[in-house]
Amino acid sequence: MGKDKKKEEAVFLRKKITLLRAFSLLIGSMVGSGIFISPKGVLKNSGTVGFSLVVWFACGLLSMFGALCYAELGTRITKSGGHYIYILETLGPLPSFLFLWAEFFAIRPANSAVVSLAFGRYLLEPFFAPCAAPVPAVKLVSLLGYYAVLTLNSWSVSWSARLQTALSVVKLLALVLIIVPGMMLLAQGHTENFQDAFDKQSLVPDKLPLAFYAGMFAYSGWFQTSFVREELVRPERNIPLAVIVSVITVIVGYMLTNVSYYTVLGTQDVLASPAVAVSFVQRACRSLISVVPVLVALSCFGTMNGGILTFSRTLFVASREGQWPPLFSMIHIRRHTPLPAVMLMFPLVTTMVCIGDIYHLMNFFSFSRWLFIGLATLGLIVHRCRHPELQSPFKVPLFIPVSFTIICLFAVAMSFYSDPVNISIGCTMVLSGFPVYYLVIHRQMSNRCRSLLYYVTQKLQLLLEVVQQEIKTY
């Protein structure tokens, strides 16, 4: 009887993510707030319309390279956990812990703050047009939106999953409502904004890494299947197919969206606009002025909501590997939601929304994100050298991981020159994990510290009503 009850209460993650669901996960993760935030950042740091379109295409191609590398890693390493587990299995415990440290104290909260600020901006912008919405009001609405996401994910996993499915449709609809009017105007001969598209005098090479960060932010999400690797049906087949089809789809969609933007808006219009999609609709199709901003805000809401899934998966895997406190991988006994993991984000995101703006936060967390993604693909090369006998069902040409790793690490190094303040803060955050690793992970904790940790965990378990989740895949 006791065993049956335990079996009923256990959380089982079955292999139920099919090819279609994997494709939907990737499309839903990539198409989010980025295409509505990043055009201004890409244009500002690339100089001209033509060079910005080249950056968008190059970022898409680079995303394809990265996605193919992760597809091979997913067929070689059969655990869930994404960047963390790939770095752990290929480069060792120290780099993987530094990634965890940066992920949960810099990358994840800063990324969530960027998306929530975009949510607040687009939701308020129509009410204040043609003027910009007041910054305090934007930050307040941004926090309210993020708190709604946290509450939903603390309350019900099933409801948040249903909402995510619905919002995936909203994201694509928002893109369609921008692409169609733009293409119609382009077909009518509105090409004046593409004159002198490649004016070399406007190009600022030392700012290109920041343009890369903004573009890659819009494409980020191509790695999401790696977080749920253990739940995929036929991963050796479905991971490569899903990433290839989804990335090509997003590249085409993003290029068409940017061409639509530039058909209607000039360079100065884009740079002066606090919300590019709102400015586009005001010029191209005023009948949609109250529709598109709401759809974009809902798209940002969906991006915030989707981040909780991968967040909790990584915490569980890190706890399973002994590199993270077990409390943060526990779930609520009745609602089966990752309550401690969700609560960890509350103070961090609140702080970053209050003190930062979109583009500074983007540069801040992009340094750490692309440093560790570059290390993960470097790990693929290392893994091939260490295990030449391993026959992977999917294998990319060696130049793909080599070129992707070099470009990522080069952009990371160059960004110190482009934005030294924010990048130095991000670097300091990563380096601060070294003493924590050696004091807590590398050295065995004393019995007294272990007992104290156990006591605190037990008390917090009772307070939050959470238990260690049991995950099996079949």
Side-chain angles (χ1 to χ4, degrees):
M1 183 71 180
K3 288 184 178 179
D4 291 341
K5 185 177 180 182
K6 182 179 179 182
K7 192 172 182 178
E8 285 178 8
E9 293 177 348
V11 179
F12 295 96
L13 295 180
R14 298 171 175 83
K15 286 183 176 291
K16 57 184 180 181
I17 300 179
T18 61
L19 175 61
L20 181 60
R21 288 179 178 176
F23 175 74
S24 300
L25 172 65
L26 290 170
I27 290 289
S29 299
M30 281 188 282
V31 180
S33 58
I35 187 59
F36 309 111
I37 298 172
S38 297
K40 181 176 178 178
V42 173
L43 179 60
K44 179 181 178 181
N45 293 297
S46 59
T48 68
V49 169
F51 288 123
S52 72
L53 291 175
V54 170
V55 169
W56 276 103
F57 182 76
C59 287
L61 188 62
L62 196 61
S63 296
M64 176 64 80
F65 277 21
L68 291 174
C69 294
Y70 268 56
E72 180 176 342
L73 282 166
T75 58
R76 285 174 167 268
I77 300 169
T78 59
K79 297 178 181 178
S80 295
H83 321 302
Y84 166 73
I85 202 66
Y86 295 157
I87 295 172
L88 177 65
E89 294 287 327
T90 59
L91 301 180
L94 175 57
S96 64
F97 178 80
L98 292 178
F99 165 74
L100 272 180
W101 186 258
E103 171 78 354
F104 298 115
F105 292 106
I107 301 172
R108 184 73 62 167
N111 183 59
S112 299
V114 167
V115 179
S116 63
L117 285 168
F119 167 82
R121 173 71 65 187
Y122 272 98
L123 203 59
L124 290 180
E125 203 64 33
F127 297 102
F128 293 90
C131 300
V135 173
V138 170
K139 290 181 182 289
L140 177 60
V141 172
S142 301
L143 288 174
L144 291 176
Y146 193 74
Y147 295 160
V149 171
L150 292 183
T151 303
L152 178 65
N153 281 273
S154 300
W155 185 261
S156 172
V157 171
S158 59
W159 274 105
S160 62
R162 290 169 190 164
L163 178 65
Q164 190 66 16
T165 302
L167 291 179
S168 295
V169 178
V170 170
K171 294 177 181 185
L172 295 177
L173 179 60
L175 282 188
V176 169
L177 291 179
I178 291 172
I179 291 172
V180 172
M183 291 298 105
M184 290 173 64
L185 289 171
L186 186 65
Q188 294 170 11
H190 291 271
T191 59
E192 56 274 10
N193 292 331
F194 294 96
Q195 302 298 323
D196 297 321
F198 292 94
D199 181 10
K200 293 182 180 179
Q201 293 182 347
S202 301
L203 180 64
V204 186
D206 62 331
K207 293 292 184 181
L208 283 178
L210 302 184
F212 161 84
Y213 281 165
M216 292 303 288
F217 171 76
Y219 284 101
S220 61
W222 49 260
F223 41 70
Q224 295 291 6
T225 52
S226 64
F227 289 96
V228 292
R229 166 64 175 78
E230 296 173 37
E231 300 162 62
L232 285 164
V233 176
R234 297 183 64 189
E236 65 283 347
R237 168 185 174 271
N238 289 344
I239 291 178
L241 278 175
V243 299
I244 291 170
V245 174
S246 61
V247 174
I248 289 175
T249 302
V250 172
I251 290 173
V252 173
Y254 279 7
M255 293 302 296
L256 291 176
T257 302
N258 277 283
V259 170
S260 294
Y261 282 148
Y262 293 131
T263 300
V264 174
L265 302 172
T267 300
Q268 295 306 316
D269 297 322
V270 174
L271 294 177
S273 174
V276 178
V278 173
S279 300
F280 172 86
V281 174
Q282 287 174 340
R283 295 276 190 89
C285 191
R286 294 193 65 85
S287 60
L288 298 175
I289 189 62
S290 60
V291 177
V292 170
V294 173
L295 293 179
V296 174
L298 289 174
S299 176
C300 295
F301 193 89
T303 302
M304 291 188 286
N305 182 61
I308 301 296
L309 173 68
T310 56
F311 180 73
S312 58
R313 292 295 187 275
T314 306
L315 282 176
F316 172 77
V317 173
S319 175
R320 185 172 64 183
E321 300 293 336
Q323 286 200 333
W324 204 252
L327 175 69
F328 293 105
S329 67
M330 294 182 183
I331 59 171
H332 195 271
I333 55 176
R334 292 187 301 278
R335 305 200 177 279
H336 290 177
T337 56
L339 185 60
V342 171
M343 291 180 66
L344 177 64
M345 296 295 289
F346 178 83
L348 298 172
V349 175
T350 299
T351 302
M352 291 192 178
V353 167
C354 290
I355 66 175
D357 67 26
I358 287 178
Y359 297 103
H360 288 154
L361 286 170
M362 194 183 296
N363 294 342
F364 165 68
F365 81 81
S366 292
F367 162 80
S368 303
R369 166 174 277 180
W370 294 106
L371 169 64
F372 287 107
I373 288 178
L375 289 179
T377 53
L378 174 63
L380 171 60
I381 302 170
V382 172
H383 199 265
R384 280 189 181 186
C385 295
R386 287 179 179 170
H387 304 281
E389 77 287 350
L390 186 62
Q391 296 297 316
S392 176
F394 178 78
K395 191 173 183 178
V396 296
L398 185 61
F399 83 90
I400 290 181
V402 169
S403 57
F404 181 83
T405 302
I406 291 173
I407 292 171
C408 281
L409 298 182
F410 176 75
V412 166
M414 280 291 293
S415 62
F416 277 99
Y417 182 73
S418 305
D419 188 0
V421 175
N422 287 301
I423 302 304
S424 296
I425 295 172
C427 183
T428 302
M429 179 63 71
V430 174
L431 296 177
S432 67
F434 273 99
V436 178
Y437 174 80
Y438 281 104
L439 290 173
V440 178
I441 305 297
H442 184 69
R443 292 178 57 186
Q444 292 293 326
M445 282 194 296
S446 66
N447 291 332
R448 186 175 180 179
C449 291
R450 199 180 299 276
S451 299
L452 179 62
L453 178 62
Y454 179 77
Y455 174 79
V456 171
T457 301
Q458 221 175 20
K459 292 298 181 183
L460 288 174
Q461 270 190 267
L462 294 172
L463 177 65
L464 300 174
E465 296 184 306
V466 294
V467 293
Q468 183 68 56
Q469 57 181 320
E470 178 184 343
I471 292 187
K472 295 181 181 178
T473 56
Y474 57 88

